[in-house]
Amino acid sequence: MPADATAATEASGRAASNHPLAPRSAVTSFLGVGQLALLTLVVVASLRSLPAMAVFGLGSITLYLIPAIFFLVPTALVAAELATGWKGGVYVWVREALGNRWGFTAVWLQWIQNVVWYPTQLSFIAAALAFVFFDPSLSNSGFFTAVVILVLYWGSTLITLRGGNLFAKLGSWGGILGTLLPAALLVVFGAIWVFGGEKSQVPLEASAVIPPFTGLASIVLIVSNVLAYAGMEVNAVHVNQMRDPGRGYPRSVFLAAILILLVFILPTIAIAVAVPQKELGLTNGIMLAFQEYFGHWGVGEWATAVVSALIAAGALASVVAWIAGPSKGLLAAAETGLLPPALQKRNKEGVQTGILMLQGTIVTLLAAIFIIVPDVSAAFVALIDMAAALYLIMYMLMFVSAIMLRRTAPDVKRAYRVPAMNLIAGVGFLACLAAFLLAFIPPDGFTAFPTAAYPWIVGAVIVVLGLPPLIFYAARRPGWDRRSDAEKGRRGTHQEDEVATPAASDAAPGAGSGSAPSSPGADAT
């Protein structure tokens, strides 16, 4: 989830041109292949998903590569074409291809998956804070985790309601200090550990690259890897800032994919070699690795506390930066008459209070899962599956829309066109569909819910959280549309479309970004 520094993307984008969505004739300087790749790395890379894959040791390499090839790359390429043909993000893309009902459904799913993502990111922060407080056992306390989620989430919401953008401005530093620096430290420590002859907790033979297969449940955590890459589409909005998008953007995508894989794979292996698998928790695995390294080399607990504080601060910056963004995208659609007036309310600062209150209520209810389910890691997995399933539906709508728009709007100018669109979008769609189906299968060793009940619980959550847009659309009334007659007549289908989305300028995450993602992640174009 989705992305820890989307604000950095916007800041860099504005520095490179008048605006990332500006016409190419208005661009005053251009982004290079490497620059855009680094921006994408900062947006997508997140440490939250690493412990889930560390249990597979070298097998995590395969489990990272599969969604990278079949999801990450198709998402980035398809979103680039859509972003350079239609301004407005997923709502406009899907609306132009499938109609207003499904466009609204897509942006709702984009928003609601972020709502589910907040507790997972905040539970990760709670685990880090447990080490800051020199009491790692707190990371396994559902009550402590729930309290941290509620305090930090509502505190972040209060900041957002005041119209402040301090944390959005600090988002880039949060991404660097809270994500890239700890990742680099893990890689260095892991290398010293392995090449220094210390005992590895996982096999390091080449054959270990193939993960053990004992049924679908043994690899179902690959779903969380798909969610880790969510948000790759965020920087598609910057395609117009490249001198030669047709050649430069694909190169940037593949360079970014390699960098993202390195940031994911190397720290994951560094965690795996130092921490016994039976001790790994999905929320505290990274902190346990630092504790193991520092303890082995005789460094005091203060070092683990300092690194944990950095990780917590970086993750919190991403949450605060994401609080308002996706909800602004939903508000833009809502104000065309798709949500009742109560959910269109703004305060004097222009912040969408109605949607934020609904968002906070859902987060509060989801936080209760950590109290109801004693195993914090199990609750974490359940929330990830819920978020992934919702987000994957949105991505499937995006891939279908891209294929349809090639047929129904072939003359719309795109600065970048995907080669073999049907093949690439089709691969992305099938990857999303496979991951969606895997979300209904409990991971290996998951005991929080009965195995037979697990798919019904995930399905119920998808229905409860995913069905409202269709209900709202069917129940909409003329009085819900608060636009003037002039605004109603201005609906465009190309670059003139004024529908706002959770753009990077709103400090919206990419998803993870995400992305998701990594993201969590969300479409920030």
Side-chain angles (χ1 to χ4, degrees):
M1 188 40 216
D4 292 326
T6 303
T9 304
E10 177 65 8
S12 301
R14 288 182 182 278
S17 72
N18 296 331
H19 191 279
L21 286 175
R24 288 183 59 79
S25 59
V27 177
T28 56
S29 61
F30 293 92
L31 283 175
V33 170
Q35 288 175 302
L36 187 55
L38 288 174
L39 288 176
T40 304
L41 169 67
V42 173
V43 168
V44 174
S46 172
L47 301 181
R48 178 178 55 79
S49 62
L50 304 189
M53 290 300 112
V55 298
F56 293 98
L58 292 185
S60 63
I61 296 175
T62 300
L63 297 178
Y64 277 120
L65 284 173
I66 292 173
I69 294 171
F70 294 104
F71 173 77
L72 182 148
V73 172
T75 296
L77 296 178
V78 169
E81 173 166 329
L82 293 172
T84 57
W86 292 266
K87 186 177 76 174
V90 69
Y91 171 56
V92 173
W93 303 342
V94 177
R95 184 194 70 191
E96 294 305 314
L98 304 176
N100 205 30
R101 175 189 290 106
W102 294 109
F104 178 52
T105 300
V107 77
W108 172 280
L109 292 172
Q110 182 187 72
W111 167 74
I112 198 66
Q113 77 82 25
N114 276 279
V115 177
V116 179
W117 170 82
Y118 294 127
T120 67
Q121 183 77 338
L122 290 168
S123 67
F124 176 65
I125 296 172
L129 290 178
F131 286 80
V132 174
F133 299 151
F134 300 101
D135 188 0
S137 64
L138 286 175
S139 63
N140 294 316
S141 168
F143 180 78
F144 172 78
T145 301
V147 169
V148 170
I149 289 173
L150 294 177
V151 171
L152 294 184
Y153 179 81
W154 284 106
S156 301
T157 299
L158 290 176
I159 293 173
T160 301
L161 289 172
R162 296 182 62 182
N165 61 356
L166 173 62
F167 281 88
K169 294 178 180 178
L170 295 178
S172 58
W173 285 106
I176 293 171
L177 297 178
T179 300
L180 299 184
L181 178 59
L185 287 175
L186 278 175
V187 172
V188 172
F189 292 167
I192 295 174
W193 185 278
V194 172
F195 293 111
E198 301 295 342
K199 177 185 177 182
S200 172
Q201 299 296 333
V202 294
L204 297 179
E205 294 81 13
S207 60
V209 173
I210 305 300
F213 183 80
T214 57
L216 286 176
S218 65
I219 62 169
V220 73
L221 277 174
I222 197 172
V223 173
S224 66
N225 273 6
V226 171
L227 190 63
Y229 290 126
M232 187 69 177
E233 75 279 6
V234 169
N235 279 321
V237 73
H238 294 295
V239 173
N240 277 333
Q241 295 170 243
M242 303 193 78
R243 192 175 300 276
D244 184 359
R247 295 183 49 162
Y249 188 76
R251 294 178 181 178
S252 178
V253 166
F254 288 110
L255 176 58
I258 292 172
L259 293 175
I260 291 167
L261 283 171
L262 290 176
V263 169
F264 280 156
I265 290 173
L266 296 180
T268 296
I269 295 175
I271 295 171
V273 299
V275 183
Q277 291 187 17
K278 63 181 181 180
E279 296 180 12
L280 271 174
L282 297 183
T283 57
N284 64 2
I286 294 174
M287 280 64 73
L288 287 174
F290 279 112
Q291 185 181 59
E292 186 68 30
Y293 284 126
F294 288 132
H296 182 77
W297 293 319
V299 182
E301 291 186 5
W302 63 267
T304 302
V306 169
V307 174
S308 299
L310 287 175
I311 293 172
L316 181 59
S318 73
V319 169
V320 179
W322 279 70
I323 289 286
S327 57
K328 283 188 177 180
L330 181 63
L331 179 67
E335 289 182 333
T336 65
L338 297 177
L339 284 178
L343 294 179
Q344 298 182 35
K345 287 184 179 179
R346 300 172 182 251
N347 63 11
K348 63 180 181 180
E349 303 294 336
V351 179
Q352 56 282 12
T353 54
I355 293 177
L356 286 180
M357 290 302 101
L358 173 62
Q359 182 171 290
T361 301
I362 297 172
V363 169
T364 301
L365 294 174
L366 291 175
I369 292 178
F370 288 89
I371 298 176
I372 298 171
V373 180
D375 185 347
V376 172
S377 290
F380 189 81
V381 168
L383 285 176
I384 287 176
D385 273 7
M386 296 172 196
L390 292 167
Y391 209 8
L392 290 167
I393 296 172
M394 187 218 78
Y395 275 115
M396 285 189 277
L397 289 172
M398 185 189 82
F399 286 122
V400 169
S401 298
I403 293 173
M404 290 192 64
L405 287 172
R406 269 291 185 93
R407 298 174 181 175
T408 60
D411 297 330
V412 171
K413 183 179 179 181
R414 289 97 152 158
Y416 171 75
R417 296 180 73 90
V418 178
M421 168 63 84
N422 288 353
L423 173 62
I424 291 177
V427 167
F429 177 88
L430 291 176
C432 289
L433 179 60
F436 177 80
L437 296 176
L438 283 174
F440 290 84
I441 302 173
D444 191 27
F446 187 89
T447 58
F449 306 130
T451 301
Y454 187 88
W456 293 100
I457 293 173
V458 174
V461 171
I462 292 173
V463 171
V464 170
L465 298 181
L467 193 59
L470 298 177
I471 296 175
F472 281 126
Y473 190 87
R476 68 193 187 285
R477 298 289 182 269
W480 293 7
D481 192 337
R482 297 185 170 187
R483 296 174 299 169
S484 66
D485 291 339
E487 289 174 325
K488 293 177 182 178
R490 197 175 56 191
R491 179 184 182 275
T493 59
H494 188 38
Q495 292 290 359
E496 293 76 20
D497 200 311
E498 298 296 330
V499 177
T501 58
S505 58
D506 297 325
S513 107
S515 255
S518 122
S519 249
D523 173 8
T525 58

